[in-house]
């Protein structure tokens, strides 16, 4: 049996405590070794590692200096002075870090880590909406690429969408690209919503907006769109005491049938603060694993057939490789970056 260094020993103990029953012991031992390599590389390079709440449990609980939802990580990215920044999340998140830190190296450990929402809309689509609905402010969910952020007025995340929209003081708002998040905000605020088809926008045949309300975009999260009210009914039939938490990228029917809806960190806080109960998390499955060890006598139910293939691209192994090779750098055109930053800065200023 190999002799473990004291640090590796500590890391392994921490992972064993956090991941008991979630990750098999032999895998924890392997992951602890890779985590120690990453720690060593972090010390050598001065890197900071930011990890989204969806990261695999061994990564989430070992080498991340900060974890959080998109809004929290954008705020940390705006404040950090570390260089390089290793972003354990998907491309639009790493791009946001680069937009805010042009002088620093931002590494995305897997260049394939995309997002179905971000790829559902182009900068030309936003220009077509602006032309069809002149004068109406455009809000982009942070799950968009830099070229789309560069065309809009302000960004938002799942944690502040309503606040950002209300801050505009406008009776009409265009909200892209998440149809369900837009419908959920419209439902909460009691406004009408019109969602043109992508074909209508691209053909320039947009419906006329007659009254107050929102114009949405037909983009969907390929993970959250899979949850149904039947999933909730089935969980409630088996576990009548279950608290159901749904991310606002789920359909309005699912969000209405849930007990709580919020960003990934809001869901985590709810579970932590109410502790000890039984919860069904309608979101990426790894997040349930990440908080399962924190809730003492409680239980996290989750639907693990529903995974985000993009978030799952990021592993401890490719974080190590990114720090060894410095290859997966985010690079952006400067003129585009400056315009995209204005939309992010407006969101961060809203608080
Ligand atoms: P949060 O901002 O709530 O973490 O959501 C990001 C995301 O991509 C959810 O699918
Ligand atoms: Fe995009 Fe959905 Fe994956 Fe989040 S879970 S990164 S919205 S595809």
């Amino acid at each position: 049996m190999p002799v473990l260094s004291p640090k590796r020993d500590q890391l392994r103990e921490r992972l064993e405590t956090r991941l008991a029953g979630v990750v098999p012991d032999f895998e924890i031992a392997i992951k602890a070794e890779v985590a120690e390599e990453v720690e060593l590389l972090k010390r050598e390079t001065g890197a900071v590692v930011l990890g989204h709440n969806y990261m695999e449990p061994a990564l989430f609980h070992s080498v991340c200096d900060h974890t959080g939802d998109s809004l929290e990580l954008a705020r940390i990215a705006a404040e950090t002075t570390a260089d390089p920044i290793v972003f354990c999340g998907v491309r639009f998140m790493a791009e946001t870090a680069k937009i805010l830190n042009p002088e620093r190296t931002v590494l995305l450990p897997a260049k394939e880590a995309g997002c179905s929402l971000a790829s559902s809309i182009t900068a030309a689509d936003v220009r077509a909406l602006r032309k069809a609905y002149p004068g109406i402010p455009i809000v982009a969910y942070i799950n968009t690429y830099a070229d789309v952020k560069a065309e809009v007025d302000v960004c938002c995340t799942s944690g502040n969408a309503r606040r950002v929209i209300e801050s505009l003081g406008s009776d009409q708002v265009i909200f892209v690209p998440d149809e369900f998040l837009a419908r959920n905000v419209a439902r909460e605020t009691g406004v009408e919503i019109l969602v043109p088809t992508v074909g209508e926008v691209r053909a320039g045949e947009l419906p006329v907006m007659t009254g107050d309300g929102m114009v949405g975009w037909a983009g969907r999260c390929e993970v959250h769109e899979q949850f149904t009210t039947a999933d909730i009914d089935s969980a409630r039939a088996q576990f009548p005491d279950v608290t159901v938490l749904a991310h606002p990228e789920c359909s309005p029917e699912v969000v209405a049938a849930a007990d709580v809806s919020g960003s990934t960190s809001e869901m985590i806080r709810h579970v932590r603060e109410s502790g000890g109960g039984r919860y069904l998390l309608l979101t990426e499955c790894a997040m349930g694993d990440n908080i399962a060890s924190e809730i003492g006598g409680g239980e996290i139910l989750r639907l693990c057939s529903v995974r985000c293939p993009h978030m799952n691209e990021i592993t401890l192994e490719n974080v190590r490789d990114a720090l060894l090779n410095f290859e997966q750098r985010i690079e952006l055109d400067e003129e585009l970056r400056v315009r995209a930053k204005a939309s992010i800065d407006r969101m961060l200023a809203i608080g």
Side-chain angles (χ1 to χ4, degrees), residues 52 54 69-70 92-93 141 143 158 224 247 249 263-264:
H52 186 263
Y54 289 164
D69 63 15
S70 310
F92 75 80
M93 296 179 176
Y141 192 27
N143 297 38
S158 61
H224 292 90
H247 194 276
E249 289 169 10
S263 77
T264 55

Side-chain angles (χ1 to χ4, degrees), residues 52-54 68-73 90 92-93 115 117 141-143 157-159 221 223-224 247-249 262-267 283-284 287 308 311:
H52 186 263
N53 291 325
Y54 289 164
D69 63 15
S70 310
L71 182 60
E72 290 164 340
L73 294 177
V90 289
F92 75 80
M93 296 179 176
C115 169
L117 281 170
Y141 192 27
I142 199 148
N143 297 38
T157 72
S158 61
C221 163
V223 177
H224 292 90
H247 194 276
E249 289 169 10
S263 77
T264 55
S265 287
E266 285 164 348
M267 293 163 101
T283 194
E284 216 290 333
M287 204 175 92
C308 175
M311 290 282 186

